[in-house]
Amino acid sequence: MAIPLDELEWRYSTPGGPGGQHANTSQTAAVVRLDVSESPSLPSWARDRLLRRLGTTVEAGASERRSQSQNRELALERLSARIADALTPDRPRRPTRPTLASKRRRLEAKRQRGERKQERRRPRFEE
């Protein structure tokens, strides 16, 4: 499944952090955004799953590289990775039973907790 580039919305800004004159004057940080609810290229099953898992818009950004084009590529890779991750189906859960040892450990811990609480009580004097 491919999403055309004209459906993506780009934003550029100056990167934060140190970098001197280059970082202060050039807009190299790139953020790419996809509006999932308005994308005509997504099949209905993919749109529904993305809306459920990621919301109406998906964003990814990059500001590590010095050039805007490299940051654009990084942002596109991150966006495609987020979309691919959201579209992978969940592994089916196999119900399991607790082991005999885990049942014994649980009951032993409950017994010890009960004894500890019992020791905290005020002693009863019976006549």
Side-chain angles (χ1 to χ4, degrees), residues 34-71:
L34 172 68
D35 191 359
V36 175
S37 58
E38 298 296 321
S39 175
S41 63
L42 289 172
S44 60
W45 65 268
R47 182 179 300 111
D48 293 341
R49 175 169 258 165
L50 288 173
L51 286 172
R52 237 184 3 259
R53 292 189 171 184
L54 299 176
T56 56
T57 58
V58 184
E59 277 190 0
S63 63
E64 292 86 30
R65 303 300 166 112
R66 197 170 151 87
S67 76
Q68 189 183 83
S69 61
Q70 289 176 342
N71 283 331

Side-chain angles (χ1 to χ4, degrees), residues 93-105:
R93 184 187 177 280
R94 286 205 184 104
T96 58
R97 290 197 171 130
T99 62
L100 190 60
S102 69
K103 285 181 186 177
R104 286 184 181 149
R105 281 192 303 269

Side-chain angles (χ1 to χ4, degrees), residues 3-32:
I3 298 172
L5 291 177
D6 60 340
E7 290 184 27
L8 302 176
E9 182 182 315
W10 290 94
R11 227 177 38 237
Y12 304 102
S13 64
T14 56
Q21 288 177 336
H22 177 74
N24 295 338
T25 59
S26 58
Q27 295 190 341
T28 56
V31 176
V32 63

Side-chain angles (χ1 to χ4, degrees), residues 30 32 54 58-65 70-85:
V32 63
L54 299 176
V58 184
E59 277 190 0
S63 63
E64 292 86 30
R65 303 300 166 112
Q70 289 176 342
N71 283 331
R72 279 178 61 108
E73 288 177 25
L74 272 176
L76 268 179
E77 288 173 15
R78 290 176 183 167
L79 180 73
S80 63
R82 287 190 68 188
I83 291 173
D85 187 44

